[in-house]
Amino acid sequence: MTLSSLRQDLRKRLTADNLRRTAWYVLLALSAYTLYLDHVVRTEFERRSWAIPARVYARPLELFPGENLAPAKLLEELKLLDYRATGTPADPGSYSRHGDDVDLITRPFTFWDGRQPALALDLHFADGRLATLQNQGTGASLSLVRLNPLLIGRIYPADRSDRQLITLSEAPPDLVNGLIAVEDRSFYTNYGIDPRGMARAMWTMLRGRGVQGGSTLTQQLVKNLFLGPQRTVTRKFTEVIMALLLNLHYSKQQILEAYLNEVYLGQEGEHAIRGFAEASKFYFNEPLSQINLSQSALLVALVRGPSYYNPRLHPRHALARRNLVLKELRLQHHISAAQYALALGKPLGVAAVPPLAASPYPAFLDLVRRQLLRDYRENELRSAGLRIITTLDPEVQAAAEHALTTRLARLEKEQHLPTHSLEGAVVISNSQTGEVQAIVGGRDPQFEGFNRALDAFRPVGSLIKPAIYLTALEQPGSYTLATLLQDSPLAVPESQGVIWAPKNYDRRFHGMVPLPVALANSYNVATVRLGLSLGLPAVMGTVHKLGIKHNLPEYQASLLGADSLTPFEVTQMYQTLANGGFRMPLRTVRDVLDADGRPLQRFSLKVRQVVPPGPVYLLTYALQGVVDHGTAVDLKHYLSPDLHVAGKTGTTQDLRDSWFAGFTGDHVAAVWIGRDDDGPTGLTGATGAMTVWGKAMARLDPEPLNPPRPADVDMAWIDPGTGLLADPDCHGAVRIPFIRGSAPVNTAPCASHSPIRVLKTWFQRLFGHRSGVQ
């Protein structure tokens, strides 16, 4: 053998060894990579926890015999809930009205105390009330039924995706059959991949037409769960291996159920629509269990391309693809010829407007999130699928929004202000429970930006004065409703030789005035004198007792509301007054349930008595005087004087802020109007905020304010001119409340004319209404 041949033989052997060695290396690397992918697939699939946004609901409307509820109000609620008016209700979410009778079938819903099934109801109304409530099937009378609450928003996960989880058994058979017929006919027999489809895709790629599909449902699931949208050969190779592994470890039923919940089916703004259950609500505003054959086919059609086949943007594309799905269902004998013909003739049936991805109540949802973060981590709120039942009342919210937006536009015209220069905020709560029923964070209620109701700290002006008068009335040995206050020039030395000389709004002084008159007319000087005699620490202590948590500066000007509060904080203060001195934190959340409907937490009332009821009762009477004949007297243009509303106007320096806060028998509300640039508005509390307050309350048909008289409060006849006891037969004598033991002991002689006619008239109207005095 020649040297040359030996060399050639050696080269062949070395090349063969290299090839074998390289093959072993490749096989080893491939094995390691496959083991790694196997670990990823099993770990991630078994631990998969889809990020499901928290769903936030309004309060459920409760129906019960004797309820103050007119048919028109019920129909407004049903309209909000997208109930359908029909001749004869047949499905959940449908109703009919015949005069004073309403028939409806409720939707099922899981509440804190269990699941309420769909109920067929007969309701009869009389005199503006729900007279009878009966089960339509059995005729039995029902004591209480709740309508499913309105979905008012979501708290989204970081990827902004939206989905509702279902089990395979909850998916309509037509949907499953259509999906497999069109997307993966061999799903139940293949190993997770389709070699023929892959060959077609490879041939297309080799011809230079890009990387194409050929993916099975299993491969599509792998792409969505583990990989990205990139179209490369290496990613396709990884997809194939992972699909084989997924098929090896898990049943077809598990894979199909995961696909039904994960598939991408559309986009609303920055929110991705994932899973067929969420897509059903998004496109049809119906739960997946209630869609028909043609609707199921349309959802399947979207799998191929949610953008191209978007039925709202490209209805012709969507219709053609839907009909193709129906054809495949017919060809594979999943549906009959009659079903095919009927479904083919149906329109797309898509809801004209998709459900809002963003909440229409962003200011309220903002507060819900802040309050829940006290008990839940951010990640839990965003991804655990919590169901949150809140206190929002859609009727109250609508009244607040309408009042603010319409009045601001009108006020700008009246004051010759630039359009959209005025801003405002409204907070309304239930006076008995402390539940927040409405929040408006600005003149555009759906704007998700700066929430003025919670974050606009503005000087409150005279809204602080009730705290001063309450501090005084807590000292019945020194102050009563008959006490005379001095309203005369005052000079208060301040630092660096500065003299503070407060003035009244009318630039006049009024001499000796009864305490209720000073509050009703918001006399600054009389109030400052009273506050200085009580001491700033005592007054600020009362402010904190009423519910203000952060520290406020203690300046003399604080007695006239120089300190800043938010509308929400003001509402908390007046909530405590409306509750007779019992403080309950304002709350937005009633119940929290997990994704399966199991109760996690119920937010019960937290009540603490911070002020004795007697002084609050006296102050409430004085605040009713503000509305009866004081600075808020024009509220009568919106509400009947028979409601005996208690409230207080507030105006700050240079007319920069306009405030009104007050309460009826069932509502507490605070309204602020101002400008974001802190410019003057030309509005007082009475000409600005009070008009919004009155317009909102007028739509709510509020209950009269008739607080029960505490056991330690007695009534006594008084001469309002002197503050002394009076003979009931004396002209001008009035009967007013006193903390027991604090009434005057001396009696005034009868006078032929009352020296303070306005006070006498007010006392007779207000106190006489409940004491028989005319």
Side-chain angles (χ1 to χ4, degrees):
M1 179 178 292
T2 65
L3 182 60
S4 175
S5 61
L6 286 174
R7 289 176 179 173
Q8 289 179 356
D9 183 60
L10 181 59
R11 287 195 191 100
K12 289 180 181 179
R13 292 188 179 186
L14 289 174
T15 301
D17 289 342
N18 287 337
L19 288 174
R20 284 193 294 270
R21 188 178 297 109
T22 301
W24 276 108
Y25 287 154
V26 170
L27 182 61
L28 182 62
L30 182 61
S31 299
Y33 187 54
T34 302
L35 288 173
Y36 165 73
L37 293 180
D38 184 73
H39 172 74
V40 171
V41 166
R42 286 189 296 164
T43 302
E44 295 300 322
F45 193 81
E46 291 175 8
R47 290 191 323 188
R48 73 189 185 283
S49 177
W50 281 289
I52 308 172
R55 280 170 166 72
V56 185
Y57 297 89
R59 61 93 186 98
L61 179 64
E62 296 183 339
L63 305 175
F64 53 88
E67 181 180 8
N68 183 14
L69 180 68
K73 290 291 186 183
L74 174 61
L75 264 56
E76 287 180 13
E77 184 85 12
L78 295 179
K79 184 178 180 180
L80 273 176
L81 296 174
D82 288 318
Y83 275 57
R84 302 177 304 279
T86 62
T88 302
D91 302 309
S94 60
Y95 73 95
S96 65
R97 179 186 179 183
H98 306 283
D100 289 331
D101 296 304
V102 175
D103 297 335
L104 70 87
I105 302 178
T106 65
R107 293 192 181 110
F109 193 83
T110 301
F111 295 97
W112 168 267
D113 51 0
R115 183 170 179 80
Q116 178 183 279
L119 296 172
L121 305 175
D122 286 331
L123 298 86
H124 176 68
F125 295 85
D127 301 322
R129 292 185 177 274
L130 178 57
T132 60
L133 176 64
Q134 294 180 314
N135 185 306
Q136 197 175 83
T138 65
S141 296
L142 301 172
S143 58
L144 176 67
V145 172
R146 287 172 290 204
L147 297 181
N148 60 287
L150 176 69
L151 178 66
I152 61 172
R154 298 170 177 85
I155 302 176
Y156 286 97
D159 65 359
R160 312 299 290 178
S161 61
D162 202 354
R163 82 182 85 224
Q164 299 179 49
L165 295 186
I166 58 168
T167 62
L168 182 59
S169 62
E170 293 173 317
D174 292 331
L175 179 86
V176 176
N177 291 334
L179 180 66
I180 293 174
V182 174
E183 292 295 324
D184 190 358
R185 293 184 186 182
S186 64
F187 173 74
Y188 286 112
T189 58
N190 65 40
Y191 294 100
I193 62 173
D194 178 10
R196 290 184 179 179
M198 292 174 59
R200 286 194 302 270
M202 183 63 69
W203 174 247
T204 301
M205 182 191 68
L206 292 175
R207 293 171 65 190
R209 296 185 180 180
V211 180
Q212 297 297 316
S215 297
T216 63
L217 290 179
T218 308
Q219 287 175 269
Q220 293 178 40
L221 180 62
V222 164
K223 179 179 66 175
N224 287 331
L225 286 180
F226 309 120
L227 306 174
Q230 301 86 2
R231 287 173 172 257
T232 64
V233 173
T234 54
R235 201 227 61 166
K236 193 70 177 179
F237 175 72
T238 302
E239 175 189 300
V240 169
I241 296 177
M242 296 184 89
L244 290 168
L245 292 170
L246 191 65
N247 191 80
L248 175 67
H249 292 299
Y250 303 101
S251 70
K252 293 293 186 180
Q253 289 72 25
Q254 289 174 298
I255 293 171
L256 186 56
E257 182 176 289
Y259 185 92
L260 293 174
N261 287 307
E262 176 61 26
V263 62
Y264 171 72
L265 292 170
Q267 194 80 19
E268 174 62 13
E270 59 182 5
H271 304 290
I273 308 302
R274 291 197 172 274
F276 284 101
E278 185 62 30
S280 179
K281 291 292 291 183
F282 179 72
Y283 290 108
F284 308 121
N285 202 22
E286 293 285 353
L288 188 63
S289 60
Q290 294 185 22
I291 64 174
N292 58 37
L293 170 60
S294 65
Q295 291 171 322
S296 293
L298 178 57
L299 292 184
V300 172
L302 291 167
V303 173
R304 183 58 58 94
S307 298
Y308 185 79
Y309 295 110
N310 185 326
R312 292 192 178 97
L313 299 179
H314 308 294
R316 289 168 55 181
H317 297 169
L319 184 64
R321 182 69 183 173
R322 184 207 69 175
N323 291 346
L324 176 63
V325 174
L326 290 172
K327 182 179 179 180
E328 289 296 325
L329 281 167
R330 175 64 190 133
L331 290 174
Q332 297 182 41
H333 306 291
H334 291 299
I335 59 176
S336 67
Q339 288 176 304
Y340 174 62
L342 180 64
L344 205 62
K346 285 184 176 293
L348 291 175
V350 174
V353 180
L356 288 174
S359 172
Y361 312 111
F364 185 89
L365 200 66
D366 182 15
L367 181 57
V368 169
R369 183 175 170 276
R370 295 188 197 193
Q371 293 191 340
L372 284 174
L373 283 174
R374 302 171 188 167
D375 301 285
Y376 296 90
R377 296 189 300 272
E378 180 84 27
N379 185 57
E380 290 178 303
L381 286 184
R382 291 185 175 276
S383 60
L386 300 180
R387 304 178 189 178
I388 302 160
I389 312 298
T390 73
T391 62
L392 182 131
D393 187 317
E395 178 189 5
V396 179
Q397 179 73 27
E401 291 180 4
H402 181 263
L404 183 65
T405 56
T406 57
R407 284 302 302 161
L408 287 184
R410 181 68 179 271
L411 290 168
E412 285 171 344
K413 291 182 179 178
E414 292 174 352
Q415 299 297 319
H416 305 291
L417 294 170
T419 303
H420 299 296
S421 60
L422 288 180
E423 271 296 350
V426 182
V427 180
I428 302 179
S429 65
N430 182 294
S431 62
Q432 304 302 316
T433 64
E435 292 186 340
V436 179
Q437 298 173 308
I439 297 181
V440 186
R443 69 181 298 151
D444 181 359
Q446 295 187 9
F447 179 62
E448 294 190 51
F450 184 55
N451 189 345
R452 295 165 187 81
L454 305 183
D455 299 322
F457 286 86
R458 305 291 296 209
V460 294
S462 295
L463 291 193
I464 204 70
K465 289 178 180 177
I468 301 171
Y469 286 84
L470 180 60
T471 306
L473 293 172
E474 283 190 89
Q475 305 174 27
S478 302
Y479 300 97
T480 71
L481 290 179
T483 298
L484 299 178
L485 300 179
Q486 185 177 350
D487 187 63
S488 59
L490 175 66
V492 181
E494 293 187 324
S495 60
Q496 298 179 349
V498 176
I499 301 296
W500 180 52
K503 308 291 183 185
N504 291 322
Y505 182 76
D506 62 4
R507 302 297 176 180
R508 298 168 53 198
F509 298 100
H510 307 87
M512 300 300 292
V513 293
L515 183 147
V517 171
L519 179 57
N521 292 306
S522 204
Y523 291 154
N524 290 335
V525 182
T527 302
V528 170
R529 286 184 178 276
L530 177 62
L532 292 177
S533 66
L534 295 168
L536 281 168
V539 171
M540 290 304 165
T542 299
V543 171
H544 291 304
K545 285 192 295 184
L546 293 178
I548 304 305
K549 295 181 179 180
H550 66 273
N551 293 325
L552 299 175
E554 295 184 2
Y555 306 124
Q556 284 91 341
S558 300
L559 299 171
L560 296 181
D563 294 330
S564 295
L565 299 174
T566 68
F568 184 78
E569 290 177 312
V570 169
T571 308
Q572 179 67 76
M573 282 184 59
Y574 281 73
Q575 178 78 35
T576 306
L577 298 178
N579 270 287
F582 289 87
R583 187 179 70 212
M584 54 183 69
L586 294 175
R587 63 194 182 107
T588 60
V589 180
R590 288 184 180 178
D591 311 313
V592 177
L593 293 78
D594 68 11
D596 296 319
R598 293 185 295 263
L600 294 179
Q601 189 172 4
R602 185 152 212 203
F603 291 79
S604 56
L605 293 176
K606 297 179 181 179
V607 184
R608 177 187 174 192
Q609 184 175 347
V610 293
V611 183
V616 178
Y617 181 80
L618 269 59
L619 177 66
T620 299
Y621 270 113
L623 290 173
Q624 287 172 312
V626 175
V627 176
D628 183 86
H629 77 278
T631 57
V633 67
D634 285 341
L635 195 61
K636 65 186 177 184
H637 297 311
Y638 298 91
L639 299 170
S640 168
D642 294 336
L643 293 175
H644 305 297
V645 175
K648 186 70 188 75
T649 55
T651 309
T652 61
Q653 191 171 8
D654 299 326
L655 304 182
R656 297 177 186 276
D657 300 275
S658 171
W659 288 91
F660 188 81
F663 46 97
T664 66
D666 52 352
H667 297 295
V668 180
V671 176
W672 167 81
I673 293 177
R675 293 173 57 166
D676 287 343
D677 62 4
D678 201 30
T681 66
L683 300 169
T684 66
T687 59
M690 189 196 72
T691 66
V692 174
W693 198 99
K695 190 176 181 68
M697 286 295 165
R699 291 186 56 172
L700 299 179
D701 190 23
E703 296 289 333
L705 177 60
N706 294 311
R709 178 152 57 96
D712 65 339
V713 173
D714 295 324
M715 307 298 292
W717 290 93
I718 296 295
D719 170 43
T722 63
L724 301 178
L725 291 176
D727 189 300
D729 296 327
C730 287
H731 180 77
V734 293
R735 196 168 181 238
I736 64 174
F738 290 88
I739 303 295
R740 182 165 297 156
S742 66
V745 295
N746 297 321
T747 302
C750 283
S752 58
H753 296 90
S754 173
I756 306 182
R757 188 176 303 275
V758 170
L759 179 62
K760 171 252 183 182
T761 303
W762 168 57
F763 271 119
Q764 286 184 340
R765 280 203 300 263
L766 186 59
F767 299 111
H769 174 78
R770 290 182 285 276
S771 63
V773 179
Q774 300 297 328

